[in-house]
Amino acid sequence: MLQILFRLTILSIPIVILTIYALLHEGKYLSASKSNVADEKQQNKTVHNSVRPIFVSTSPSSFSQRNESGARIGHLTSGKSVVLTSLIDPRLVSTNFLPEIKITKVPYRRVAFLKVHKAGSTTAQNIFLRYGESRNLTFVLPIIRQDHWDNVIGLQSTLNDRNILPPPKNKTYDILCCHVLYDSEAFHKYMPTDTAYIGIVREPFDQFLSTLNYFRAPYIFERIKSQSRVLKFLQNPAQYENGLPYKWSMTNNRMAVEFGFPSNLFRKYLEEDSMNYLTKLDKEFQFVIIMEYFTESVVMMRRILGWTIKDVLYLKKNSARRSYSFADNTHRHMYERYAKLDYDLYNFFYRRLWSQIQKEGLDFHLELLYFDRLRKEVEDYCMYTVDKRSGYIIAASKWSAAFVVSQDDCDNLKKNELFFVERIRKRQYGFQKRGNLMEAVFSRLNRSHT
């Protein structure tokens, strides 16, 4: 019996020691736990909600100082704060959390952009013009021809030696972004193998209405004698186009024309052949912008190209009204029956866009929110700030290093396509058609609206 009691006593000693140890350290443990909880709450309260700019001189010396003190920019611009909620909706989550910059790929340096008429392509084109010009890259430019727009390579033809200038000596083409019809063989003949192919599409009926409003097709607005000309046309389009070659038509599946669909499909629609060609385009184009989701598309394109946030900023250009006196949305179903190729094209790349976005996860939506807010800030600065001698500094974020929006940046964001092309022509070949005087006049007109 005594042996049993002795053994129990020996076994209980470690338990008593552990209990005493726990009691002695309880205060420290609780204190540490409370401190961690408080730290987490404080972090949630102070996570950056949006970037706040700093106005500074953009002289060379000030840029040098900014480079030396770049690490402090984030601390200088963290004035605003939000309280995070427990909701999963990314729109309710801070977008400037964890400001480290991750470079995961080598950026594409060369791009072939298929500039499709009346599909938001001028706004997108400005991104590529700025990117190439800021890096002294070589553009594919049209030969100057009489009675022909100097920024258009071809409306009925693809790239060839008769409609583009050869690259300057010892240079290869880097950027293609002027109007021309797509042809895989021709594009690959002139563009290097490491070129990224980017396209753009728009909801076909909206693209059709915008095209009518801009080009005022004579076979509709002049030949049809009716108060409802467009409705009359949509009842029997072939009758009014009257044998017009499909490449010359701006109303017969025009987006499919510019994407180079096979000619037989414009005479007789075959769904299988249409899908086969789309499968081919899917392999050739790294990305296709959807105009109705332009900001989402630009953010996704930035990720694919490996470019910076500053590279893909944009101002809306050539925006026309969304309603027209000659047609309305009740006519959409009639055009859908007629423009089957355009709808195949649009629906195909619409689905691909959302598939690409889905793979990016929550971080994409956080970047989208950040970029959308930032783009609007830059647009307001460029359009409405009178004195831009002071730059507009954007703090570093998870998706971007800190950068400055200068007077030159604003000028280039607003620059008209024609004058941008002429300036590039001057740099590459030493001549312009319109000359510096017209560009100066246009620049003054731009600044008078800021």
Side-chain angles (χ1 to χ4, degrees), residues 261-324:
F261 273 64
S263 59
N264 64 292
L265 293 177
F266 295 89
R267 294 188 295 270
K268 182 180 180 182
Y269 172 77
L270 297 170
E271 183 178 4
E272 184 178 357
D273 288 358
S274 177
M275 290 300 113
N276 287 339
Y277 187 70
L278 285 167
T279 301
K280 177 175 178 291
L281 291 179
D282 187 37
K283 296 175 182 177
E284 295 170 351
F285 280 77
Q286 273 77 8
F287 188 68
V288 173
I289 297 166
I290 305 296
M291 178 183 164
E292 287 74 16
Y293 298 94
F294 194 87
T295 305
E296 290 87 344
S297 295
V298 167
V299 172
M300 189 68 233
M301 181 181 74
R302 184 199 77 78
R303 291 181 167 219
I304 290 172
L305 295 179
W307 290 4
T308 69
I309 290 285
K310 185 177 181 180
D311 290 333
V312 298
L313 289 171
Y314 67 87
L315 307 182
K316 294 180 180 178
K317 297 180 179 293
N318 290 1
S319 297
R321 62 183 182 274
R322 293 298 182 92
S323 60
Y324 307 96

Side-chain angles (χ1 to χ4, degrees), residues 157-175:
S157 60
T158 188
L159 298 175
N160 60 64
D161 292 340
R162 298 181 302 279
N163 59 19
I164 60 173
L165 292 166
K169 188 177 180 180
N170 299 323
K171 297 279 189 178
T172 57
Y173 293 124
D174 299 308
I175 305 286

Side-chain angles (χ1 to χ4, degrees), residues 104-124:
T104 57
K105 61 186 294 185
V106 176
Y108 278 98
R109 185 171 173 270
R110 297 185 171 98
V111 172
F113 172 58
L114 184 62
K115 190 176 188 292
V116 174
H117 279 90
K118 312 315 297 177
S121 60
T122 300
T123 300

Side-chain angles (χ1 to χ4, degrees), residues 203 205-206 209 322 324 327-334:
E203 199 288 323
F205 185 64
D206 291 338
L209 294 182
R322 293 298 182 92
Y324 307 96
D328 59 45
N329 289 321
T330 62
H331 303 140
R332 190 182 302 273
H333 70 283
M334 300 175 68

Side-chain angles (χ1 to χ4, degrees), residues 50-235:
S50 64
V51 292
R52 189 178 71 181
I54 299 176
F55 292 91
V56 297
S57 168
T58 54
S59 64
S61 61
S62 68
F63 275 113
S64 175
Q65 292 169 3
R66 245 192 327 278
N67 289 336
E68 294 172 0
S69 60
R72 299 198 301 272
I73 291 179
H75 297 291
L76 294 172
T77 59
S78 57
K80 298 181 182 179
S81 62
V82 294
V83 178
L84 299 187
T85 73
S86 59
L87 298 177
I88 299 176
D89 188 340
R91 293 170 297 179
L92 302 176
V93 181
S94 168
T95 61
N96 206 16
F97 186 58
L98 299 176
E100 71 271 12
I101 301 158
K102 296 180 181 178
I103 307 258
T104 57
K105 61 186 294 185
V106 176
Y108 278 98
R109 185 171 173 270
R110 297 185 171 98
V111 172
F113 172 58
L114 184 62
K115 190 176 188 292
V116 174
H117 279 90
K118 312 315 297 177
S121 60
T122 300
T123 300
Q125 180 198 42
N126 180 264
I127 294 172
F128 304 111
L129 289 170
R130 291 188 349 261
Y131 182 87
E133 182 67 353
S134 67
R135 291 160 175 82
N136 201 36
L137 300 183
T138 302
F139 287 79
V140 182
L141 295 182
I143 290 174
I144 294 177
R145 290 154 286 178
Q146 190 173 3
D147 300 324
H148 199 283
W149 288 103
D150 297 341
N151 58 324
V152 175
I153 296 173
L155 294 178
Q156 294 84 34
S157 60
T158 188
L159 298 175
N160 60 64
D161 292 340
R162 298 181 302 279
N163 59 19
I164 60 173
L165 292 166
K169 188 177 180 180
N170 299 323
K171 297 279 189 178
T172 57
Y173 293 124
D174 299 308
I175 305 286
L176 166 64
C177 60
C178 291
H179 281 302
V180 68
L181 303 190
Y182 178 68
D183 177 271
S184 177
E185 184 177 345
F187 272 50
H188 285 86
K189 173 183 175 182
Y190 292 100
M191 299 302 297
T193 56
D194 59 348
T195 298
Y197 285 74
I198 306 293
I200 189 168
V201 293
R202 181 181 185 179
E203 199 288 323
F205 185 64
D206 291 338
Q207 192 269 345
F208 167 73
L209 294 182
S210 182
T211 298
L212 290 183
N213 184 60
Y214 186 82
F215 289 102
R216 312 297 292 187
Y219 51 85
I220 296 176
F221 289 98
E222 294 177 14
R223 296 176 191 171
I224 298 177
K225 307 301 180 183
S226 170
Q227 289 186 340
S228 303
R229 294 181 178 89
V230 175
L231 178 60
K232 197 80 173 173
F233 170 79
L234 289 174
Q235 289 171 349

